[in-house]
């Protein structure tokens, strides 16, 4: 398979409700949709997941454009790709920039699956026909608003509630939440807002019977997380610290966590995600699939990945309506009694709503990877 044509489409979508984490607040999402066309005219789609500011990782929407435009797309020229697992290697002359690579690789996985008349889930070796769904709730100024939001999502059927915390918005909040929701499966995510100096506060989290605490310490603090996990009963889940299989191996060997949140963008693609999943499965580490406020295209990739058998815990990939008034896929992603039914159509399994996509598009750029080679498989 050759890639003949790539389109980078810059898109802006407004969130229904501002989303606040320990690192800042978001009201809109700027990202790129990547469209790749193969030598048979099949089209695959990928989505970039970085934000406009480098708060979560070092990448941004603009650095991703730069990496794709100046370096990554060019590396596909003349490449005869027999399987998407080869993409990691093809893009490897460029260091890191995982989210840029993942979006391109994801589009190629989609086109590969479509070419073979398979769903992306099947192409990945996924087994589940439904996936369990949780929801991530941002920091709220007002506790009554937060309790009301939790109530709504519990009523809708989400299987676990994730609450964002930060220093000063933690123990008190959880006292209130547990009073009203004593048995709801709840976890918290600190997005690196604490250090080991906060250990006394973090230890107090043990009283709330949380499923896990996600990324309490810095993204470079794999060693400190090992020390913290020794002092906590609550399992630590790593997010920002894990950029590769190697990171996952190190964290597991050092007992820095008991659970890993896999995000396709953060680890550089579906191939690396699957490797981390397989390694965790072999080492008794639970995994679940995280989210980055994706539109339906990114959501579809997350859903396909989550069909792998050892995604044992509900992920953050909620329905389209959790963030968007209107999504760019049709049908939209829907959550039904706590699960998403995995689509069975080829590739990502959702069609593009071209009208909606056009409405949200700010600009497009086309790349013709001139096909001087013989156009065959
Ligand atoms: O840490 O998982 C995170 C959103 C933005 C940045 C980081 C994170 C999140 C979420 C929401 O928790 C995930 C989602 O619902 O897509
Ligand atoms: Mg997180």
């Amino acid at each position: 398979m050759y890639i003949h044509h790539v389109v980078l489409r810059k898109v802006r979508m407004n969130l229904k409700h501002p989303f606040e984490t320990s690192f800042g607040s978001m009201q809109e999402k700027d990202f790129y949709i990547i469209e790749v066309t193969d030598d048979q005219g099949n089209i695959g789609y990928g989505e970039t997941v970085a934000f406009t500011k480098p708060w979560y990782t070092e990448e941004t929407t603009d650095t991703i454009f730069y990496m794709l435009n100046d370096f990554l797309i060019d590396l596909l020229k003349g490449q005869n790709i027999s399987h998407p697992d080869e993409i990691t290697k093809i893009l490897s002359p460029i260091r890191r920039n995982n989210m840029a690579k993942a979006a391109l690789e994801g589009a190629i996985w989609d086109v590969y699956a479509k070419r073979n008349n398979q769903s992306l889930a099947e192409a990945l070796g996924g087994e589940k026909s439904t996936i369990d769904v949780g929801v991530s709730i941002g920091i709220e100024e007002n506790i009554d608003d937060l309790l009301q939001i939790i109530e709504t999502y519990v009523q809708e059927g989400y299987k676990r509630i994730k609450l964002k915390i930060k220093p000063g918005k933690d123990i008190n909040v959880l006292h209130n939440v547990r009073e009203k929701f004593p048995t709801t499966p709840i976890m918290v995510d600190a997005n690196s807002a604490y250090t080991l100096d906060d250990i006394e506060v973090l230890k107090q989290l043990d009283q709330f019977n949380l499923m896990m605490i996600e990324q309490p310490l810095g993204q470079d603090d794999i060693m400190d997380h090992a020390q913290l996990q020794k002092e906590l009963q609550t399992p630590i889940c790593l997010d920002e610290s894990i950029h590769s299989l190697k990171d996952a191996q190190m964290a597991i060997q050092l007992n820095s966590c008991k659970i890993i949140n896999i995000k396709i963008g953060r680890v550089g693609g579906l191939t690396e995600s699957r490797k981390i999943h397989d390694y965790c499965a072999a080492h008794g580490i639970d995994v679940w699939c995280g989210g980055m406020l994706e539109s339906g295209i990114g959501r579809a990739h997350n859903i396909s990945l989550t069909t792998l058998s050892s995604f044992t815990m509900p992920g953050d990939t909620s329905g389209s309506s959790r963030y968007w008034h209107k999504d760019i896929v049709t049908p939209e992603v829907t959550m039904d009694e706590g699960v998403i039914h995995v689509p069975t159509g080829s590739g990502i399994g959702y069609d593009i709503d071209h009208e909606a996509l056009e409405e949200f598009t700010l600009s497009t750029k086309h790349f013709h990877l001139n096909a001087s080679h013989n156009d065959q498989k």
Side-chain angles (χ1 to χ4, degrees), residues 19 21 23 26 51 56 135-136 162 164 189 191 214 239-240 261 263 288 290-294 299 316-318 322-323:
F19 188 82
T21 69
F23 54 71
M26 277 170 276
F51 305 112
Y56 170 78
V135 64
S136 175
K162 163 165 142 183
K164 295 288 189 181
D189 184 359
N191 288 108
E214 185 176 343
D239 174 353
E240 283 91 327
N261 163 345
K263 288 186 187 170
W288 54 276
M292 291 287 282
L293 315 177
E294 290 94 343
R299 240 155 250 279
D316 276 345
T317 305
S318 39
R322 187 257 175 274
Y323 289 114

Side-chain angles (χ1 to χ4, degrees), residues 94-284:
I94 304 304
R95 307 255 188 250
R96 302 267 292 207
N97 288 283
N98 285 355
M99 292 177 180
K101 290 175 179 175
L104 188 56
E105 190 237 32
I108 294 171
W109 267 100
D110 181 31
V111 81
Y112 171 82
K114 284 172 175 156
R115 185 181 177 102
N116 291 298
N117 265 313
Q118 280 184 309
S119 69
L120 178 56
E122 273 179 275
L124 286 163
E127 293 167 11
K128 293 183 242 164
S129 58
T130 61
I131 63 162
D132 289 343
V133 184
V135 64
S136 175
I137 303 177
I139 294 169
E140 290 292 327
E141 220 14 78
N142 180 310
I143 186 70
D144 291 323
D145 290 348
L146 178 66
L147 295 174
Q148 186 51 54
I149 294 169
I150 298 173
E151 176 71 26
T152 306
Y153 288 131
V154 169
Q155 292 300 329
E156 284 182 24
Y158 283 100
K159 291 205 169 171
R160 67 101 170 104
I161 302 290
K162 163 165 142 183
L163 302 176
K164 295 288 189 181
I165 57 168
K166 66 178 183 183
K169 283 274 191 186
D170 42 30
I171 308 302
N172 265 341
V173 173
L174 285 161
H175 272 301
N176 283 294
V177 170
R178 270 301 182 217
E179 201 175 307
K180 184 149 181 222
F181 303 96
T183 57
T184 303
I186 291 176
M187 60 170 290
V188 293
D189 184 359
N191 288 108
S192 296
Y194 299 87
T195 70
L196 279 181
D197 292 342
D198 302 307
I199 196 151
E200 291 312 318
V201 177
L202 294 167
K203 277 183 177 173
Q204 288 183 55
L205 292 172
D206 275 340
Q207 67 187 289
F208 298 113
N209 188 27
L210 301 172
M211 298 168 78
M212 70 194 88
I213 170 167
E214 185 176 343
Q215 197 69 37
L217 310 178
Q219 71 141 358
D220 296 329
D221 289 343
I222 290 192
M223 303 277 275
D224 286 359
H225 278 105
Q227 202 172 328
L228 179 62
Q229 183 67 89
K230 273 193 231 150
E231 310 266 339
L232 290 188
Q233 273 144 34
T234 310
I236 291 177
C237 169
L238 290 180
D239 174 353
E240 283 91 327
S241 291
I242 307 298
H243 302 274
S244 62
L245 172 62
K246 284 240 157 81
D247 286 342
Q249 289 170 330
M250 179 157 55
I252 292 166
Q253 296 302 326
L254 292 171
N255 296 312
S256 303
C257 65
K258 296 182 177 158
I259 301 168
I260 288 181
N261 163 345
I262 298 180
K263 288 186 187 170
I264 303 167
R266 194 188 62 236
V267 305
L270 285 163
T271 297
E272 192 76 2
S273 296
R274 190 168 59 179
K275 285 185 188 164
I276 296 172
H277 161 275
D278 293 350
Y279 184 84
C280 288
H283 289 79

